[in-house]
Amino acid sequence: MSLRLFKTFAFLAILAALAIGSTAPATARDGISKHVTRRMALMTSQKAAMDVLAGMMAGRTAFDRDKARSARRQLIRSTGSIRKHFKKPRLDPRSNARPLIWHAWDDFKARAGTAEAAARGLNTRSLPALRRSLPGLMQSCLSCHETYRNTPNAFITH
């Protein structure tokens, strides 16, 4: 390979590296990312609480009233703070939030309120009560995610 061709490839490689580096996820030092990180942690905590309750509802784990009540309390706290965590339009490459949230803010707030009401309405006194009340919360979460969340890319192994 000639020296001139080598220099051309090296230059293109450097340009590609710079382009990739400029689209890398923001770090906590960027100011925006800490808010998005908190928002992502909020949604992760909701998922963990929902997993506990869904496991009980489906019979994958034994019903435990104390764990169910704890998950309910976590869901009430987290759904109550959704509006606060999404109030300002902050985007980050790691986030799955659609910009539509801030263009349809009133609808988003209403859906967050519906999720909070459904979390408060969870009945964790018994397994049959949980089975009656959890689907409403699940539906409110799915409804919001269908509208305001980008589906994360699935890992493809083939």
Side-chain angles (χ1 to χ4, degrees):
M1 176 167 28
S2 72
L3 183 60
R4 184 173 184 185
L5 188 58
F6 177 76
K7 285 181 180 179
T8 303
F9 282 125
F11 178 73
L12 290 174
I14 291 170
L15 280 179
L18 289 173
I20 291 169
S22 66
T23 62
T27 63
R29 287 178 267 124
D30 294 331
I32 293 175
S33 183
K34 69 179 180 179
H35 300 289
V36 172
T37 300
R38 288 181 191 146
R39 196 171 70 201
M40 292 168 65
L42 174 77
M43 291 295 154
T44 301
S45 74
Q46 286 181 347
K47 182 181 182 323
M50 289 291 284
D51 286 347
V52 167
L53 297 174
M56 290 179 195
M57 186 176 99
R60 289 188 303 271
T61 58
F63 179 78
D64 181 323
R65 187 174 178 185
D66 291 334
K67 286 182 182 178
R69 289 175 67 195
S70 177
R72 177 183 180 267
R73 282 192 300 271
Q74 174 58 33
L75 287 165
I76 291 169
R77 275 193 308 273
S78 61
T79 55
S81 67
I82 289 173
R83 291 172 287 241
K84 178 182 102 175
H85 280 81
F86 282 89
K87 189 169 186 159
K88 293 187 180 179
R90 301 180 195 275
L91 294 175
D92 184 295
R94 300 171 300 146
S95 175
N96 295 313
R98 288 183 180 163
L100 178 61
I101 291 170
W102 300 284
H103 295 290
W105 181 246
D106 290 337
D107 180 61
F108 180 81
K109 282 192 325 185
R111 290 178 193 233
T114 300
E116 183 180 7
R120 290 185 184 282
L122 279 174
N123 188 336
T124 56
R125 290 187 188 110
S126 67
L127 182 56
L130 178 64
R131 285 181 173 156
R132 282 191 303 273
S133 59
L134 187 58
L137 177 58
M138 294 169 86
Q139 183 54 45
S140 69
C141 293
L142 288 172
S143 170
C144 195
H145 283 189
E146 286 174 350
T147 305
Y148 296 111
R149 180 178 187 245
N150 288 321
T151 304
N153 291 335
F155 181 73
I156 300 172
T157 59
H158 59 284

